[in-house]
Amino acid sequence: MKSNGRCWTLPAAALLIEFQEAGQEQLEARVNRFLQEATTLSLLNEPVFTSEPKQRDFLWKVRKGLFPAVGAVRASGTTVILEDVAFPLPLLGNAIIDLQGLFEKYGYDNAIIFGHAKDGNIHFVVTQAFDTPAEIDRYDRFLREVVEVVVRKFNGTLKAEHGTGRNMAPFVETEWGGEAYEIMKRIKAAADPLNLLNPGVIINEDAAVHIKNLKPLPPVEEEVDKCIECGYCEHKCPSRELTLTPRRRIVVRRALVQLREEGQQQAYKTLLQQYQYDGLSTCAVDGLCAGACPVDINTGDLVKRLRRENHSSFANSIALWVARNFLLVERSARVALQAGAELLPSGA
């Protein structure tokens, strides 16, 4: 482990390998063959395999949590950028070293690389602010150098398993060449003459589209600022089919901040009014979202605080007293209902 003056870097990589076979004997034989071959490799630790479901699920959870985990430690107000490139397998190691060099050159100290090694497909994640011209220029220069490394130096591809998108649209011609790009444009024009289908997402003549119309992630509340809107929480939310999921509650909070900062008072008031029911009243505040969140964000904590702030101190005091003396309140309510029933006329 060494320090580069800004962060700690590990001169190592980790592989998560999963073998699958039709039977246990075949599976054990395959694992044993790998372990024998692994003795010829230079490893910091001996390879360990497990067939225990809980341990296996935990390892995959760690792997899948890398992306949102980086987002959770980013500076407030910065955005998480995830890109998806691939290289010829014999060149993968050197290509990764060059990408790490770009991280250091441009000051992306929290950047990570993960992906699918056997396919030469990697994802890299950086955190980036877009609030000043200098930051936008830094990102522009970084991305253009990434394109040079991937396409020119290592004959790789700028997109492997995910769609191109506007971030890489200016560089499609760089990768495929002018002749192939012209064919793409002719196919697009024939299939979509009015340019209605995802305009500008792959075919785009704007060489700077990757630094335009950038999505901000403004600081909102301490409870949820770590959120990168990955959506892992959504399937756990009891309200997901009724109103908003935890991710959407956070997205709307950020939209409210943006509307307020832009001075759009009427739109801000309308959205805030709608949020009372969709965002606050219908949240179960049960914390199930935190169990699925890779960085343990409990949107219910935010909703509890906002509900508390929406009421007077007297109302909050009454609610707190009721919560602490619920058995007494329940018994009193039962007695009151029974007394009221006795006072009703017979047959009523």
Side-chain angles (χ1 to χ4, degrees):
M1 186 176 290
K2 62 181 180 179
S3 172
N4 62 14
R6 289 188 299 271
C7 65
W8 289 95
T9 58
L10 280 173
L15 287 176
L16 178 60
I17 301 172
E18 181 176 276
F19 290 135
Q20 298 180 4
E21 291 290 349
Q24 186 64 27
E25 290 185 6
Q26 298 97 313
L27 181 60
E28 290 179 358
R30 188 170 180 182
V31 169
N32 289 334
R33 284 197 303 271
F34 174 85
L35 292 176
Q36 290 175 359
E37 294 178 7
T39 59
T40 63
L41 303 176
S42 177
L43 303 175
L44 293 179
N45 295 288
E46 292 296 323
V48 176
F49 285 86
T50 179
S51 57
E52 172 60 39
K54 288 186 178 180
Q55 294 181 15
R56 187 176 62 227
D57 292 345
F58 171 75
L59 291 172
W60 277 114
K61 185 176 181 180
V62 171
R63 160 61 177 81
K64 293 177 180 179
L66 288 174
F67 170 43
V70 170
V73 299
R74 76 189 190 282
S76 182
T78 60
T79 299
V80 180
I81 306 294
L82 170 67
E83 271 307 334
D84 167 42
V85 298
F87 302 96
L89 271 179
L91 305 178
L92 180 60
N94 289 332
I96 289 176
I97 290 173
D98 275 26
L99 285 177
Q100 290 174 329
L102 292 181
F103 297 156
E104 184 172 356
K105 177 179 178 179
Y106 288 98
Y108 293 108
D109 300 333
N110 292 327
I112 64 168
I113 294 175
F114 60 95
H116 318 288
K118 71 180 181 66
D119 301 314
N121 174 209
I122 62 171
H123 311 289
F124 66 83
V125 181
V126 298
T127 58
Q128 170 74 50
F130 292 111
D131 55 350
T132 65
E135 281 294 289
I136 295 174
D137 178 66
R138 174 174 74 121
Y139 178 69
D140 182 33
R141 289 184 289 113
F142 164 72
L143 194 60
R144 291 184 185 277
E145 280 211 50
V146 167
V147 172
E148 289 298 310
V149 167
V150 174
V151 176
R152 309 282 192 199
K153 186 172 183 179
F154 291 102
N155 192 31
T157 177
L158 296 173
K159 278 297 171 183
E161 61 173 328
H162 298 293
T164 297
R166 291 182 178 85
N167 203 37
M168 286 298 181
F171 312 109
V172 173
E173 185 174 3
T174 303
E175 177 178 353
W176 293 96
E179 184 177 352
Y181 190 61
E182 286 300 319
I183 294 174
M184 294 180 191
K185 290 197 293 184
R186 288 166 57 191
I187 294 173
K188 170 69 172 175
D192 181 23
L194 299 180
N195 197 29
L196 299 177
L197 305 177
N198 288 337
V201 172
I202 298 179
I203 306 297
N204 198 312
E205 301 301 321
D206 188 346
V209 69
H210 60 295
I211 51 174
K212 294 181 178 178
N213 301 314
L214 300 167
K215 177 183 177 181
L217 285 181
V220 180
E221 281 102 3
E222 182 179 357
E223 296 95 331
V224 296
D225 276 346
K226 296 186 295 182
C227 176
I228 60 169
E229 303 174 12
C230 66
Y232 287 3
C233 58
E234 296 193 304
H235 71 286
K236 292 285 188 179
C237 180
S239 307
R240 64 185 182 278
E241 303 294 343
L242 176 63
T243 51
L244 300 179
T245 64
R247 180 187 67 83
R248 292 170 181 166
R249 286 187 172 89
I250 295 171
V251 169
V252 176
R253 296 295 298 174
R254 288 171 172 162
L256 285 166
V257 170
Q258 194 169 356
L259 289 173
R260 186 176 59 205
E261 291 178 348
E262 293 173 354
Q264 300 187 46
Q265 293 300 320
Q266 187 56 49
Y268 172 81
K269 291 179 181 179
T270 300
L271 185 58
L272 183 62
Q273 183 180 21
Q274 295 171 343
Y275 191 71
Q276 299 306 306
Y277 177 77
D278 290 344
L280 302 184
S281 299
T282 53
C283 177
V285 297
D286 52 12
L288 289 175
C289 50
C293 176
V295 292
D296 300 321
I297 296 175
N298 188 339
T299 312
D301 290 342
L302 168 66
V303 172
K304 288 177 184 177
R305 180 174 64 78
L306 294 175
R307 286 176 179 174
R308 184 169 63 250
E309 292 174 355
N310 282 346
H311 297 89
S312 66
S313 57
F314 176 74
N316 284 322
S317 298
I318 294 297
L320 182 60
W321 185 89
V322 170
R324 290 176 174 174
N325 300 273
F326 194 76
L327 182 60
L328 174 62
V329 173
E330 180 188 20
R331 290 175 177 173
S332 300
R334 184 181 294 114
V335 170
L337 289 172
Q338 289 175 347
E342 293 175 358
L343 293 175
L344 289 174
S346 59

